[in-house]
């Protein structure tokens, strides 16, 4: 997604280096926040792209337009799946698709404290009455930020743990797995690794693939790895890219290097 123009979305294959730009969603409006996620059917190789858009109502900070738009590669069309006005909540930039369900982090403001919640939406639903806000799963503790990922068809969240007196100040990082709409803690980052980042901002990057979770500061190429299988933490090999100026930012994503031949 082009963050200068969030209606410009590209799909690419890092192995074959093929890419194309998807047609723009029909509404054409630029939201205040948008979350992008996609899934691939490994049998048909068709893919689904979901974009969750949030835009503040003019003159009312408490009301936000919340729209879910779906693109399916087999018919190359966008469909508006859900649209409603949220009161006291807004969408953000985190979502993931797992088992045909779209999961999205939403944010509530109560006084000076920001709370996170998770909503679920069945991508196979054809009923406009199915509200994504019908049920909300609160996060297990105050978070400075949350990152969602699909690891072996499980929803995993990596979050910056905020202080209870100052939820906007990060004091650690935790990993949770969603099990039957309940968060189960998997691990908390040991202090020696947390301190190894130096000055870690309250917002950081994280992604994952298979059993591995990768955590990274936007201001450094340092990359920490957590193995969900053996519950071990380790630093990755030194990144070949070095920081060249103070405000240089680093980000990345995970993909599985596979060659598929459609039958």
């Amino acid at each position: 997604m082009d963050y200068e123009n969030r209606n410009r979305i590209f799909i690419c294959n890092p192995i074959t280096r093929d890419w194309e730009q998807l047609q723009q969603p029909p509404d054409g409006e630029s939201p205040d926040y948008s979350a992008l996620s996609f899934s691939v059917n490994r049998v048909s190789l068709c893919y689904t792209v979901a974009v969750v858009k949030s835009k503040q109502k003019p003159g009312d900070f408490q009301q936000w337009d919340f729209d879910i738009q779906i693109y399916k590669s087999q018919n190359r069309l966008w469909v508006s799946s859900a649209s409603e006005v949220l009161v006291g909540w807004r969408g953000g930039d985190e979502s993931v698709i797992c088992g045909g369900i779209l999961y999205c982090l939403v944010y509530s403001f109560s006084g000076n404290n920001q709370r996170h919640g998770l909503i679920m939406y069945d991508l196979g639903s054809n009923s406009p009455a199915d509200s994504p806000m019908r049920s909300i799963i609160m996060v297990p503790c105050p978070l400075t930020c949350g990152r969602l990922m699909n690891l072996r068809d499980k929803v995993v969240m990596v979050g910056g743990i905020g202080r209870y007196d100052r939820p906007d100040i990060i004091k650690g990082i935790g990993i949770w797995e969603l099990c039957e709409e309940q968060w189960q803690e998997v691990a908390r980052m040991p202090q020696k690794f947390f301190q190894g980042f130096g000055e870690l901002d309250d917002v950081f990057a994280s992604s994952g693939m298979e059993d591995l979770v990768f955590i990274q500061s936007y201001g450094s190429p340092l990359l920490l790895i957590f193995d969900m299988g053996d519950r071990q933490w380790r630093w990755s090999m030194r990144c070949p890219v070095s920081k060249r100026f103070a405000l240089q930012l680093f980000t990345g994503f995970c993909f599985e290097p596979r060659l598929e031949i459609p039958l």
Side-chain angles (χ1 to χ4, degrees):
M1 177 181 288
D2 180 350
Y3 281 92
E4 294 297 323
N5 177 359
R6 293 171 184 257
N7 288 310
R8 297 181 71 226
I9 299 173
F10 301 83
I11 190 83
C12 68
N13 186 324
I15 298 297
T16 64
R17 301 186 181 182
D18 291 333
W19 65 274
E20 67 172 313
Q21 181 179 350
L22 303 185
Q23 67 178 22
Q24 293 197 7
D27 63 4
E29 291 189 4
S30 182
D32 295 317
Y33 298 92
S34 58
L36 174 71
S37 55
F38 81 104
S39 64
V40 179
N41 184 312
R42 288 190 172 181
V43 177
S44 66
L45 301 188
C46 295
Y47 58 86
T48 299
V49 178
V51 177
V52 181
K53 295 183 175 183
S54 297
K55 189 174 181 65
Q56 184 182 354
K57 286 282 191 183
D60 190 342
F61 181 73
Q62 291 293 317
Q63 294 193 29
W64 291 76
D65 288 324
F66 184 85
D67 298 287
I68 298 175
Q69 296 178 326
I70 307 298
Y71 178 90
K72 293 185 179 293
S73 64
Q74 58 265 43
N75 53 23
R76 305 179 72 86
L77 291 175
W78 286 96
V79 176
S80 181
S81 281
S83 181
E84 62 180 292
V85 176
L86 306 186
V87 179
W89 293 87
R90 68 161 177 83
D93 55 7
E94 279 297 313
S95 66
V96 69
I97 298 173
C98 185
I101 305 296
L102 173 66
Y103 298 84
C104 180
L105 281 180
V106 291
Y107 307 84
S108 170
F109 294 90
S110 176
N112 294 323
N113 295 329
Q114 176 175 307
R115 297 177 298 154
H116 293 65
L118 184 76
I119 61 174
M120 302 179 295
Y121 182 74
D122 186 348
L123 294 178
S125 172
N126 295 317
S127 172
D130 290 338
S131 167
M133 294 297 291
R134 181 180 51 196
S135 61
I136 184 167
I137 303 170
M138 299 304 298
V139 298
C141 64
L143 297 181
T144 62
C145 70
R147 303 291 178 239
L148 298 176
M149 57 201 74
N150 179 345
L151 301 184
R152 296 190 183 276
D153 293 326
K154 293 283 189 179
V155 176
V156 173
M157 179 177 68
V158 179
I161 302 172
R163 288 168 36 179
Y164 278 95
D165 58 333
R166 290 287 304 276
D168 58 325
I169 297 179
I170 189 171
K171 69 174 184 178
I173 293 178
I175 300 176
W176 295 267
E177 182 179 300
L178 189 66
C179 298
E180 297 182 353
E181 302 187 15
Q182 297 288 330
W183 290 112
Q184 292 187 0
E185 184 172 309
V186 176
R188 295 205 179 193
M189 183 185 296
Q191 278 298 113
K192 66 176 182 178
F193 290 108
F194 182 73
Q195 294 169 355
F197 282 107
E199 290 291 331
L200 184 65
D201 292 333
D202 58 326
V203 177
F204 56 86
S206 184
S207 58
M209 179 62 67
E210 297 294 333
D211 289 326
L212 300 180
V213 175
F214 300 88
I215 300 172
Q216 170 221 335
S217 166
Y218 287 117
S220 168
L222 283 174
L223 188 64
L224 184 64
I225 303 172
F226 177 74
D227 191 315
M228 295 281 289
D230 60 21
R231 301 293 200 264
Q232 295 296 313
W233 300 85
R234 69 178 187 274
W235 294 105
S236 71
M237 295 177 58
R238 184 176 179 84
C239 179
V241 178
S242 59
K243 191 165 185 173
R244 293 177 293 178
F245 53 91
L247 297 180
Q248 184 176 5
L249 299 179
F250 300 86
T251 188
F253 61 91
C254 292
F255 70 94
E256 184 182 358
R258 296 162 54 99
L259 288 176
E260 298 278 14
I261 302 176
L263 300 177

